[in-house]
């Protein structure tokens, strides 16, 4: 990125004149239109990007509002982002805090970009979502220099908001056992299977073995984190032949919605022939036919808590990191019933 000095050298004008024009005060300071145009063209040719944060702070009427960046991985569900935003904005709408919020996409295992952005000093605080175990190790060895909160991760270094992922998988397997199922299956998103911290699916697999549930390899399908992926994976389950599972777990709810037409066309009645349980509780799961039972991830509440934690650290830098764990209740709808007896 070019500097004001480089633009001044190219136009053979003073740094002060260039700075005035680039800050939008050319007319006020009676700089000719021709000179202004010359400066703007040179700036564009050199790829100059103005420092908007610095410009705002120089304005006499500017308010000192904290700026928070939300780092969001490119392969995480966009529906989840919508729910996160609804929760995060509640602090503004309820006049609890006033702040600016930026959504910054990133690719997993490109954690250096996150550190570089934070080290530039453009933001007062950061919320990290969906980071891999490898990325988290790096950030704990090389801490960010701004107040930081991890979403749905645990950490001894940073404040964090999370749910017990292993317990989610365990209690799904336990529910299937209590419902009388013997043969079960799962359709899992590929990014979850690749993650070292995929405790949700691990809890399900290990607990199936513990409770005597049969989980064959052919009844575990891994697919892209999309509705199309869920649809294709369901087709593979149906085409696998022989005896099908009587219960299916979808660690990502939108994939279950896309699987429903496949099961319907194959004559598999939900829940009579096969019960389905998801994780997430997106609106689409509530209004599908049949509606989908789920383990609720309270995204909105967790997002609001992330904002409170990061704002707390911004306003009081001496505070210690905090951890908050949220409950994940069952929400029973048409696709799967409740416990047949108390646990």
């Amino acid at each position: 990125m070019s500097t004001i000095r480089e633009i001044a050298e190219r136009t053979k004008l003073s740094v002060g004149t260039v700075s005035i024009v680039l800050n939008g005060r050319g007319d006020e300071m009676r700089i000719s239109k021709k000179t202004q145009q010359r400066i703007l063209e040179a700036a564009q040719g050199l790829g100059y990007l103005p420092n908007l944060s610095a410009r705002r702070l120089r304005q006499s009427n500017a308010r000192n509002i904290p700026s928070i960046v939300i780092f969001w991985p490119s392969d995480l569900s966009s529906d989840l982002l919508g729910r996160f935003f609804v929760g995060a904005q509640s602090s503004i709408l309820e006049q609890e805090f006033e702040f600016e919020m930026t959504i910054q996409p990133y690719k997993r295992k490109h954690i250096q970009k996150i550190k570089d952005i934070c080290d530039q000093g453009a933001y007062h605080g950061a919320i990290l979502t969906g980071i891999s175990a490898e990325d988290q190790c790096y950030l704990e060895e090389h801490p960010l220099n701004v107040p930081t909160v991890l979403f749905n991760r645990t950490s001894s270094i940073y404040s964090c908001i999370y749910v017990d992922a292993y317990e989610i998988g365990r209690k799904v397997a336990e529910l299937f056992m209590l419902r009388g199922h013997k043969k079960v299956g799962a359709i899992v998103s590929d990014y979850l299977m690749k993650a070292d911290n995929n405790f949700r699916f691990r809890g399900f697999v290990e607990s199936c073995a513990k409770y005597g549930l049969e989980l064959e390899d052919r009844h575990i399908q891994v697919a892209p984190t999309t509705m199309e992926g869920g649809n294709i994976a369901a087709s593979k389950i149906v085409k696998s032949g022989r005896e099908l599972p009587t219960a299916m777990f979808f660690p990502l709810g939108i994939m279950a919605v896309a699987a429903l037409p496949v099961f319907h066309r194959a004559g598999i009645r939900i829940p009579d022939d096969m019960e389905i349980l998801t994780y997430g509780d997106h609106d689409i799961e509530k209004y599908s036919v049949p509606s989908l039972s789920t383990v609720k991830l309270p995204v909105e509440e967790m997002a609001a808590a992330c904002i409170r934690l990061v704002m707390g650290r911004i306003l009081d830098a001496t505070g210690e990191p905090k951890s908050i764990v949220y409950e994940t209740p069952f929400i029973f709808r048409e696709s799967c019933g409740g416990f047949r007896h108390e646990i």
Side-chain angles (χ1 to χ4, degrees), residues 124-343:
H124 298 91
I127 298 173
L128 274 61
T129 69
I131 61 172
S132 67
E134 180 182 346
D135 288 346
Q136 184 170 339
C137 285
Y138 176 87
L139 290 179
E140 292 186 348
E141 292 174 1
H142 306 84
L144 300 179
N145 62 358
V146 297
T148 302
V149 176
L150 305 187
F151 175 79
N152 214 12
R153 295 291 185 268
T154 60
S155 173
S156 59
I157 303 297
Y158 300 101
S159 293
C160 47
I161 304 292
Y162 66 99
V163 298
D164 188 336
Y166 189 93
E167 172 63 10
I168 291 167
R170 186 208 64 79
K171 70 180 186 179
V172 169
E174 182 181 40
L175 174 65
F176 285 167
M177 180 267 293
L178 292 172
R179 296 286 300 163
H181 296 288
K182 300 297 182 183
K183 186 184 293 289
V184 300
I187 292 179
V188 191
S189 61
D190 50 7
Y191 88 81
L192 275 179
M193 288 297 287
K194 297 173 185 175
D196 293 334
N197 50 7
N198 181 17
F199 299 113
R200 192 188 323 154
F201 184 63
R202 188 185 309 171
F204 177 68
V205 172
E206 293 178 359
S207 298
C208 282
K210 173 183 174 181
Y211 296 129
L213 298 174
E214 185 179 349
L215 180 60
E216 298 182 37
D217 289 343
R218 66 192 178 97
H219 293 151
I220 301 175
Q221 291 294 327
V222 180
T225 314
T226 61
M227 295 188 75
E228 181 182 13
N231 187 274
I232 293 173
S235 296
K236 291 179 180 178
I237 293 283
V238 170
K239 293 175 182 177
S240 66
R242 292 177 290 172
E243 190 176 358
L244 295 177
T246 59
M248 290 286 298
F249 177 43
F250 288 78
L252 191 64
I254 61 169
M255 299 178 79
V257 174
L260 288 175
V262 175
F263 295 142
H264 174 73
R265 294 188 187 103
I268 300 170
R269 298 169 300 166
I270 311 294
D272 299 331
D273 302 325
M274 177 189 291
E275 290 196 307
I276 292 178
L277 193 67
T278 73
Y279 168 72
D281 192 31
H282 305 271
D283 278 346
I284 194 171
E285 297 165 53
K286 186 188 306 182
Y287 298 110
S288 63
V289 180
S291 56
L292 294 169
S293 296
T294 188
V295 180
K296 180 178 178 65
L297 175 65
V299 177
E300 294 83 357
E301 294 90 336
M302 293 170 70
C306 283
I307 295 296
R308 294 188 190 100
L309 279 188
V310 75
M311 284 296 298
R313 294 298 306 280
I314 291 171
L315 298 174
D316 180 11
T318 63
E320 293 293 323
K322 297 180 180 178
S323 297
I324 302 175
V325 58
Y326 274 77
E327 296 296 323
T328 52
F330 283 115
I331 296 180
F332 293 112
R333 299 190 179 109
E334 295 169 336
S335 71
C336 183
F339 296 103
R340 287 181 175 169
H341 60 78
E342 293 295 324
I343 297 178

